[in-house]
Amino acid sequence: VAAGPPATVYKIDARGTVTKLYTADAQYIWRMVEGPKGLIYCATGEPGSIVRLDSKGNSSVVFKPEQRHLRALTYDSRYGVLVGGGERGVLYRSPNGDAPYAALFDSGQTEMTAIVAGDSYIYVAAVSGAQAVAQEGPDPKHQRKNESKVRSQLVRVAIDGTTEVLAGSNDEVIFDMASDSKGLMYVVTGATGREDPRGRLYTIDPKKRDIALIYQSPSRR
């Protein structure tokens, strides 16, 4: 379990006994995933880095770009460790989790909020204006102000760096994504700029390019 600030990782056994495993030289841990050989990888904020942990709490910083936050992180046995920037929407990759991490795709947006590894492609949520949507107040003036800041794209990235935009919006931000065993994508959003903005859950079929709204929340996010 990751908590913060300051960024701390706790280990909890089956009896509920809690042990502090690691305290990072950072304020936040945005994502935490299990990598190869039982290692844990953490994406931190303030500063942005990728930290590798073993079961005893031994740690090493394996990637530290010049960004205050690294927001998205996943591991896949085919692609390795995949990281998304939190100030620049760049997708980084390391085949084995160790340095060096190479840039695979620059979205041109301000951050990547989610990464999903598919059978043949990597899917990323590249967004601008997520913080504006998250902090938006009930006053419609906030919605109009934030509308121009918001951009959101679901992008399919091949391992050679070629890309294709599958979906996009100028009034919704993708906050997270997941996929099922059939390759169907699930996308959760927050909205701004409408008279009655609502957070939504979509399904996207990357092969058929079908997008379906399956749930609309009573909240904005």
Side-chain angles (χ1 to χ4, degrees):
V1 178
T8 305
V9 177
Y10 299 91
K11 181 168 63 176
I12 306 172
D13 67 17
R15 294 171 300 209
T17 303
V18 179
T19 304
K20 184 185 291 186
L21 183 66
Y22 169 71
T23 299
D25 185 19
Q27 290 298 301
Y28 305 99
I29 294 178
W30 292 112
R31 296 276 178 164
M32 185 168 63
V33 299
E34 184 176 2
K37 301 178 182 179
L39 295 171
I40 298 294
Y41 288 81
C42 302
T44 72
E46 294 185 2
S49 68
I50 298 298
V51 179
R52 184 180 61 204
L53 301 175
D54 65 17
S55 60
K56 297 180 180 179
N58 298 314
S59 66
S60 60
V61 176
V62 294
F63 181 45
K64 193 173 183 180
E66 295 181 357
Q67 296 197 46
R68 290 181 61 195
H69 300 276
L70 292 178
R71 283 283 286 110
L73 173 68
T74 195
Y75 168 74
D76 183 83
S77 59
R78 297 158 295 183
Y79 305 119
V81 176
L82 302 165
V83 183
E87 284 184 303
R88 297 185 299 277
V90 178
L91 175 66
Y92 303 95
R93 174 179 177 260
S94 168
N96 58 10
D98 294 328
Y101 280 68
L104 183 61
F105 165 58
D106 186 347
S107 68
Q109 306 296 336
T110 57
E111 62 180 311
M112 286 186 177
T113 55
I115 304 170
V116 173
D119 289 339
S120 303
Y121 298 95
I122 301 160
Y123 299 88
V124 299
V127 309
S128 297
Q131 185 175 8
V133 173
Q135 295 179 343
E136 184 175 279
D139 189 342
K141 292 180 180 178
H142 290 284
Q143 298 173 21
R144 290 192 294 270
K145 180 180 178 181
N146 291 336
E147 185 176 3
S148 61
K149 302 178 181 179
V150 172
R151 298 287 185 274
S152 189
Q153 292 179 323
L154 171 58
V155 184
R156 183 168 66 185
V157 184
I159 197 64
D160 63 0
T162 57
T163 63
E164 188 173 4
V165 177
L166 299 181
S169 176
N170 290 335
D171 62 5
E172 288 182 277
V173 162
I174 300 173
F175 283 107
D176 212 344
M177 301 191 304
S179 65
D180 64 14
S181 59
K182 297 180 181 179
L184 193 66
M185 303 292 298
Y186 293 82
V187 177
V188 290
T189 71
T192 187
R194 307 178 190 142
E195 292 184 2
D196 189 23
R198 291 286 177 251
R200 292 173 171 176
L201 173 61
Y202 295 92
T203 59
I204 299 177
D205 186 331
K207 294 180 180 178
K208 297 180 180 178
R209 305 296 184 87
D210 288 339
I211 302 175
L213 171 64
I214 62 172
Y215 177 70
Q216 181 162 279
S217 169
S219 65
R220 291 187 195 87
R221 298 177 291 280

